[in-house]
């Protein structure tokens, strides 16, 4: 196992532990803050930004998985949107593509799921995140128009 795989395992274990602590604490403010700090620390890890790699996949997937927790959804989405805007402003096409795969194209894929599409289309209000809506439909361009009319 190479170093990046070990880092990915470590990141996954730390994020899972923070999620567990968050649930055990009833999603109190401190436990949520700790979870987001851990995720942001891994996003900021020097190896995270080395092309497409296991660390990036694990961290972005774990961030995406927070959307399935009703009590973490809005904060998780806020962080996803923040990353989308930041990486757009930086011109970081590799990170934008990773985020597209981890978060945005899920909304465009069948079956249609309104809560996810509403989150996705909320990105249209910011010029730095608008790209994500169009990128989500890269593999499903025929779904964009009907979804845009609805959401």
């Amino acid at each position: 196992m190479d170093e990046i795989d070990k880092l990915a395992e470590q990141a996954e274990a730390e994020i899972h532990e923070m999620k567990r602590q968050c649930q055990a604490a009833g999603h109190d403010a401190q436990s949520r803050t700790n979870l987001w700090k851990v995720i942001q620390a891994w996003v900021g890890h020097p190896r995270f930004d080395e092309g497409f790699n296991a660390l990036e996949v694990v961290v972005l997937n774990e961030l995406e998985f927070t959307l399935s927790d009703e009590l973490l959804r809005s904060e998780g989405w806020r962080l996803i949107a923040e990353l989308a805007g930041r990486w757009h402003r930086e011109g970081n096409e590799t990170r934008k593509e990773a985020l597209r795969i981890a978060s945005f194209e899920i909304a465009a894929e069948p079956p249609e799921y309104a809560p996810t599409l509403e989150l996705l289309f909320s990105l249209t209000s910011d010029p730095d995140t608008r790209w994500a809506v169009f990128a989500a439909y890269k593999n499903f361009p025929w779904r964009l128009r009907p979804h845009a009319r609805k959401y």
Side-chain angles (χ1 to χ4, degrees):
M1 179 180 291
D2 68 2
E3 181 187 355
I4 202 78
D5 291 328
K6 289 177 185 175
L7 287 170
E9 283 187 1
Q10 182 182 349
E12 185 175 43
E14 287 181 17
I15 294 168
H16 282 191
E17 177 58 20
M18 288 297 105
K19 287 179 179 178
R20 188 198 64 71
Q21 288 180 20
C22 197
Q23 287 181 331
H27 292 83
D28 69 1
Q30 186 60 54
S31 66
R32 290 191 328 272
T33 297
N34 293 342
L35 170 63
W36 304 126
K37 281 182 180 178
V38 165
I39 291 174
Q40 289 177 328
W42 281 109
V43 168
H45 191 281
R47 299 292 309 268
F48 182 89
D49 205 25
E50 291 181 3
F52 294 108
N53 64 64
L55 177 60
E56 163 204 271
V57 169
V58 164
V59 174
L60 291 180
N61 282 343
E62 290 299 327
L63 176 55
E64 179 66 22
F65 298 155
T66 65
L67 302 181
S68 66
D69 184 325
E70 192 173 314
L71 299 173
L72 298 175
R73 181 177 297 127
S74 65
E75 292 170 345
W77 187 254
R78 194 170 319 128
L79 180 53
I80 290 169
E82 176 186 312
L83 293 173
R86 181 173 78 193
W87 291 336
H88 177 72
R89 288 185 300 278
E90 293 172 355
N92 193 331
E93 296 303 317
T94 303
R95 294 288 70 75
K96 286 170 62 177
E97 179 66 2
L99 197 55
R100 180 191 72 80
I101 293 166
S103 295
F104 305 133
E105 77 177 0
I106 293 167
E109 294 175 346
E112 185 171 322
Y113 184 63
T116 304
L117 286 163
E118 289 167 3
L119 289 174
L120 177 65
F121 279 89
S122 73
L123 298 175
T124 62
S125 63
D126 182 344
D128 289 334
T129 58
R130 192 171 295 135
W131 68 268
V133 177
F134 297 102
Y137 290 89
K138 178 179 178 179
N139 297 324
F140 306 94
W142 58 91
R143 295 176 61 85
L144 175 58
R145 181 167 286 152
H147 287 174
R149 285 186 190 127
K150 282 181 167 178
Y151 303 100

